[in-house]
Amino acid sequence: RFSIEIVKELDKIIDKDNEYILVCPKKSKVVNNVDFENIKLESYGNFNGHIWEQIDLPKFVKTKKATLLNLYGAAPIFKPGIAVIHDISFIVNPKFFSWGFRQFNKLMIRSIIKRSPFLFTVSEFTKSEILRFFHFDGNKIFVIGNGYEHIERIESDFSILERLKLKPKNFYLTVAT
């Protein structure tokens, strides 16, 4: 959701003198479900997931002689470009994650911090956590908040409460992973 909403907003404001491409794995559903005016959509590569991200994505960027803006928390280890780090909960709360997951993500974050010209994160809190655990120049990281605007495009439907047998003010909703 974050990536799509950011790209939608970028599509509205980017200059027309340069080429902008949203690249996704060939099997990605994103390419089929979103239309942009100024950003070209392209499917590329033979892989999916982390393998696509580590092999196909850097190959695409090198072929295009482009700068990568990676809106997901992971990025190509050796050429991350500009990246968004959403959180470092795998360090702050290690018991919630497997050893392998933690090690892979530590390697990823260290690589992104070391090789990126600058970084984005989604809150001042996350920025402070990143600076607390990974010591580097704080002027290299900028906060761009998670948008809420997409929710304004959705019409309220209170019949969901009845369908789920929920009574108003008698339940909790969390919007998180």
Side-chain angles (χ1 to χ4, degrees):
R1 172 61 63 189
F2 172 83
S3 298
I4 292 297
E5 295 302 324
I6 290 290
V7 174
K8 282 180 181 177
E9 292 304 310
L10 287 172
D11 187 52
K12 294 175 187 176
I13 63 169
I14 59 174
D15 67 276
K16 309 243 190 279
D17 298 330
N18 292 296
E19 180 181 34
Y20 298 89
I21 302 169
L22 172 61
V23 61
C24 298
K26 283 188 179 179
K27 296 176 184 172
S28 174
K29 294 176 184 168
V30 172
V31 177
N32 300 325
N33 296 331
V34 181
D35 291 318
F36 299 109
E37 289 182 34
N38 303 303
I39 296 175
K40 180 179 159 188
L41 298 172
E42 195 164 326
S43 295
Y44 181 83
N46 299 310
F47 302 104
N48 282 313
H50 289 303
I51 296 172
W52 178 83
E53 179 179 80
Q54 297 304 316
I55 295 174
D56 288 332
L57 182 56
K59 194 184 303 182
F60 178 86
V61 172
K62 185 176 181 180
T63 301
K64 294 287 186 177
K65 296 180 180 152
T67 299
L68 175 63
L69 170 59
N70 198 321
L71 299 171
Y72 177 63
I77 291 174
F78 297 109
K79 193 86 167 142
I82 301 161
V84 177
I85 300 173
H86 291 266
D87 68 62
I88 56 168
S89 57
F90 59 92
I91 293 173
V92 179
N93 299 299
K95 64 185 176 201
F96 299 150
F97 303 92
S98 70
W99 180 87
F101 182 90
R102 290 191 321 265
Q103 298 313 307
F104 176 78
N105 282 282
K106 282 180 191 176
L107 172 69
M108 185 71 58
I109 297 294
R110 283 190 182 107
S111 172
I112 290 170
I113 288 169
K114 182 178 180 181
R115 292 181 172 87
S116 294
F118 58 91
L119 309 167
F120 293 113
T121 191
V122 296
S123 70
E124 290 294 338
F125 174 77
T126 301
K127 178 179 178 178
S128 69
E129 290 288 278
I130 293 168
L131 292 173
R132 181 165 69 114
F133 287 95
F134 298 96
H135 306 287
F136 70 101
D137 182 4
N139 294 320
K140 186 178 165 178
I141 187 166
F142 302 90
V143 174
I144 53 170
N146 285 322
Y148 64 88
E149 294 83 3
H150 65 280
I151 204 73
E152 293 177 343
R153 294 191 298 267
I154 300 171
E155 194 171 319
S156 298
D157 177 7
F158 293 102
S159 68
I160 188 71
L161 297 175
E162 188 177 311
R163 289 194 309 269
L164 296 176
K165 297 181 175 72
L166 295 172
K167 295 179 182 166
K169 299 182 182 180
N170 196 22
F171 64 92
Y172 292 95
L173 171 67
T174 180
V175 184
T177 56

